[in-house]
Amino acid sequence: MKYPLIVGLSIVFVDVVVWRAQIPPHDLVRLFIRLALFAVLSWVLFSSGMNPFGQAPYRDAAALHWLAQVLEIVWWLMAARLFTLSLDSLLLPRAWRKQRLFSDVFGAVVFLAAVVAALAFVLELPVRGLVATSGALAIVLGLAIQSTLSDVFAGIVLNATEPYTVGDWVVIDDVEGKVVEMNWRATHLLTGQGNTLIVPNAMTSKAKISNNSRPANVHGLSLVLEIDPEARPKTVIDALERALTGSNAILKTPAPYARMQRATLNSIHYEVVGFVDDMSKKRVTSNELFDLCYRHLAASGVSLRALGVPAPAIEAHDAKEALLKRVSLFESLSADEVSQLAKRLSRHEYPADQQILAPDTVPDSLAIIYAGVLSVTFRESSGVRELARIGPGEAFGEAGLLAGLPMHVSITALTPSVLFEIGKDDMTSFLKEHPEVAKQLCQLLAYRQDKIVKLTTALPAEQEQGHSLFEWLFGKVRNIHSLYDS
């Protein structure tokens, strides 16, 4: 072959361009192209007498000789790099490829072996003396970087045992985060505050590791509540179990549970445990569950106890008034108005699985949940879909009672429930005595338009004859309850 050095160097140049420019973009296709280029380079070298296992020819021409030596050394380095890439892409598991630690360590060993081989075969240097010298140097270097070496070997153990992989949510020594990178030195965690925490592998290998991503679709959450020791345990447990039922984000399997955990001088600790199918739901569901626990405990006459603080003096409150104050619809009412409205409430009890409101009906009363859990469902072409679960302190039927709008949902008691209701006649009488309250309720209904549209007949989004949505609602309330200016 004419000009084998030019052909060989040209092949090396093309390989560098393919490597650096990442042409083509697909890793596996690019690897096969580079392997083909290496095969062609090997054929050029061996067919031209430039055997990488010996010194290069052209000894009578110093420039050509050293250029051929460089080409043979490059051949060894290309062989080492392509060998590690082939092992990484074709043989290693996907999880190992993401973590990179094994590839980096193995690549370093292969490159070291390639450099020693090039020195021995191409340059014909005394490798035994070099190895002996490098061994002593390695001892000194090892003592200097022993902490780094411990991280490397700990990383190898972590990769082999795989207590977690990239993408898992883990807790390492009480630090929780998502694994975003694993390398030869450390594990990188993305914490809930959006910060990157770097944990050295040596420290990780000695720490307690909790992998929240295994099993894949079950993630536990736990709340510990301090309750008044005078409260009957069965009352507390029943209320907490109703709170667990009130969240449709909590899985039925494994079954959630509530239990008494321990007793202290001033309180009893109760634990509520549930499970969700996605880590991203844990925070939202925990907050929702705490709110449900608070409301169901309050409905059962049980109050939370401040940590380590004796119970405050108990003040007597009317249960109906306390319930009305927890309803957002009546937040704007004064204490006297709340007291008058509370006298008009009637108590109703419903067993589990009883339908309280049928779809496409206009409620003739406003219902406020005092105790229990209700399921709100909507029938679609694909079947029945649960929209929400509602519990103590929540109300429904206000759009029907105030504006005569039908509700397209079905509401059923999931647990034995107690509701306080106010009928149309009582509401009409109350609004006639307090006409300003009608305006406040209509303002709130107009503000909650998005929720009303989902549960009832859509309200007119366009203004009619220059009237706003509030004015339209207020007109409906005046007509239904006969509120006319005197």
Side-chain angles (χ1 to χ4, degrees):
M1 174 185 291
K2 292 184 178 181
Y3 312 115
L5 288 176
I6 296 177
V7 175
L9 292 174
S10 299
I11 294 173
V12 173
F13 176 75
V14 173
D15 180 78
V16 172
V17 171
V18 171
W19 167 44
R20 298 299 297 173
Q22 296 188 351
I23 302 172
H26 194 278
D27 293 340
L28 199 57
V29 175
R30 188 167 62 252
L31 172 62
F32 284 122
I33 292 176
R34 296 188 65 187
L35 287 173
L37 290 173
F38 179 74
V40 175
L41 176 63
S42 301
W43 177 79
V44 169
L45 292 183
F46 283 98
S47 63
S48 303
M50 290 184 287
N51 187 349
F53 293 92
Q55 277 207 356
Y58 315 117
R59 298 196 179 189
D60 53 343
L64 294 178
H65 175 72
W66 284 108
L67 195 60
Q69 295 276 72
V70 170
L71 194 57
E72 290 182 2
I73 294 174
V74 170
W75 182 91
W76 280 103
L77 298 180
M78 283 182 63
R81 180 56 181 163
L82 292 175
F83 179 67
T84 56
L85 284 176
S86 300
L87 181 67
D88 187 25
S89 301
L90 302 177
L91 298 179
L92 288 184
R94 182 179 296 272
W96 287 26
R97 294 202 296 271
K98 287 182 179 180
Q99 294 162 10
R100 303 302 310 163
L101 186 141
F102 181 82
S103 300
D104 293 343
V105 174
F106 183 76
V109 173
V110 172
F111 262 94
L112 180 61
V115 170
V116 173
L119 293 177
F121 292 115
V122 179
L123 300 181
E124 295 184 349
L125 294 178
V127 179
R128 291 183 179 179
L130 179 63
V131 171
T133 304
S134 62
L137 181 61
I139 294 175
V140 176
L141 186 62
L143 292 174
I145 59 171
Q146 56 182 339
S147 61
T148 302
L149 290 177
S150 65
D151 288 332
V152 172
F153 287 108
I156 294 174
V157 173
L158 290 173
N159 275 261
T161 57
E162 290 189 338
Y164 53 82
T165 58
V166 174
D168 287 353
W169 278 89
V170 299
V171 180
I172 302 176
D173 271 351
D174 299 327
V175 177
E176 183 175 4
K178 180 181 180 181
V179 181
V180 294
E181 182 182 349
M182 294 176 63
N183 55 37
W184 57 271
R185 180 185 172 274
T187 297
H188 295 233
L189 300 179
L190 181 64
T191 66
Q193 290 75 33
N195 303 321
T196 299
L197 179 69
I198 301 175
V199 185
N201 290 331
M203 182 181 298
T204 304
S205 64
K206 301 176 183 178
K208 295 183 296 183
I209 301 174
S210 175
N211 193 332
N212 295 331
S213 296
R214 298 179 186 175
N217 298 322
V218 179
H219 309 283
L221 55 91
S222 173
L223 297 178
V224 176
L225 307 173
E226 289 201 27
I227 306 297
D228 194 322
E230 283 78 21
R232 182 183 176 185
K234 186 179 186 305
T235 302
V236 177
I237 294 294
D238 289 345
L240 296 180
E241 288 179 346
R242 288 194 294 271
L244 288 167
T245 305
S247 175
N248 53 9
I250 293 179
L251 300 176
K252 294 182 180 179
T253 305
Y257 62 89
R259 69 183 182 96
M260 195 281 285
Q261 190 182 60
R262 66 189 182 93
T264 65
L265 291 176
N266 298 312
S267 64
I268 305 295
H269 289 203
Y270 291 85
E271 184 182 23
V272 181
V273 178
F275 304 88
V276 294
D277 59 3
D278 192 335
M279 276 294 298
S280 61
K281 296 181 181 179
K282 283 190 66 173
R283 178 177 57 82
V284 175
T285 306
S286 295
N287 294 337
E288 177 192 16
L289 183 58
F290 186 82
D291 179 72
L292 288 170
C293 290
Y294 177 87
R295 288 190 282 142
H296 282 278
L297 288 171
S300 300
V302 178
S303 59
L304 295 176
R305 172 68 63 83
L307 303 180
V309 178
I314 299 176
E315 298 180 2
H317 291 287
D318 183 85
K320 295 180 181 179
E321 293 183 16
L323 179 62
L324 286 175
K325 291 178 181 179
R326 295 202 299 267
V327 180
S328 60
L329 195 64
F330 303 115
E331 287 178 347
S332 59
L333 301 186
S334 65
D336 182 60
E337 292 169 341
V338 169
S339 177
Q340 293 185 38
L341 187 60
K343 297 176 182 178
R344 305 174 189 270
L345 294 177
S346 59
R347 179 187 174 97
H348 299 268
E349 297 186 7
Y350 298 90
D353 300 324
Q354 179 176 341
Q355 186 181 58
I356 299 174
L357 180 70
D360 299 318
T361 59
V362 179
D364 59 357
S365 64
L366 172 68
I368 306 171
I369 305 172
Y370 179 73
V373 180
L374 309 184
S375 174
V376 183
T377 58
F378 181 75
R379 181 172 293 279
E380 300 175 323
S381 58
S382 58
V384 177
R385 178 168 63 94
E386 186 177 54
L387 297 178
R389 294 184 182 181
I390 52 180
E394 296 184 89
F396 62 90
E398 68 276 8
L401 178 64
L402 294 175
L405 299 175
M407 299 185 67
H408 300 313
V409 298
S410 174
I411 300 180
T412 306
L414 287 180
T415 66
S417 303
V418 178
L419 276 64
F420 282 98
E421 300 180 8
I422 179 170
K424 179 177 179 297
D425 294 339
D426 289 327
M427 179 60 76
T428 298
S429 174
F430 177 77
L431 294 179
K432 285 183 177 180
E433 295 175 5
H434 305 279
E436 70 282 356
V437 175
K439 292 184 178 180
Q440 296 174 357
L441 297 180
C442 288
Q443 288 175 345
L444 183 58
L445 283 176
Y447 177 76
R448 296 170 60 186
Q449 178 184 3
D450 291 340
K451 186 174 182 180
I452 294 173
V453 169
K454 293 179 182 178
L455 302 182
T456 67
T457 299
L459 300 180
E462 299 179 356
Q463 297 180 2
E464 298 179 2
Q465 300 179 351
H467 292 170
S468 65
L469 176 61
F470 161 73
E471 291 172 330
W472 180 85
L473 277 173
F474 188 55
K476 296 279 289 183
V477 172
R478 292 182 62 187
N479 290 334
I480 291 175
H481 297 280
S482 302
L483 303 180
Y484 301 109
D485 297 332
S486 55

